[in-house]
């Protein structure tokens, strides 16, 4: 089981069309995490791909696994 803590910079991040990732989008990314790389790096790659590597705000994501 993992717990995720994030700043609003991730859920408020925008794609090139101006669509916000949102908490539902982040949850989809987490649900579909790459099982070959079940780490925060996998989530980071997906969020970065969504935003085309452009963030307007600070972003922080912490994953606590047990």
């Amino acid at each position: 089981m993992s717990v995720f803590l994030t700043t609003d910079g991730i859920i408020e991040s925008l794609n090139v069309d101006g669509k916000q990732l949102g908490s539902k989008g982040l949850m989809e990314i987490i649900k579909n995490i790459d099982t070959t790389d079940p780490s925060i790096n996998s989530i980071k790659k997906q969020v970065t791909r969504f935003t085309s590597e452009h963030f307007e705000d600070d972003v922080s994501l912490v994953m606590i696994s047990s």
Side-chain angles (χ1 to χ4, degrees):
M1 183 171 114
S2 297
V3 174
F4 296 90
L5 306 170
T6 183
T7 59
D8 64 345
I10 290 183
I11 59 174
E12 292 177 354
S13 61
L14 304 173
N15 67 8
V16 294
D17 296 325
K19 180 182 176 197
Q20 196 174 70
L21 178 63
S23 55
K24 287 182 182 181
L26 180 57
M27 289 300 299
E28 282 300 311
I29 289 172
I30 291 170
K31 279 192 227 176
N32 298 313
I33 195 168
D34 182 356
T35 56
T36 62
D37 180 20
S39 68
I40 204 160
N41 287 329
S42 179
I43 297 167
K44 179 184 170 191
K45 287 178 197 173
Q46 294 297 318
V47 173
T48 301
R49 186 176 299 137
F50 176 83
T51 64
S52 299
E53 299 185 19
H54 179 75
F55 292 96
E56 303 255 339
D57 196 356
D58 64 309
V59 293
S60 297
L61 178 65
V62 175
M63 180 171 90
I64 303 167
S65 296
S66 62

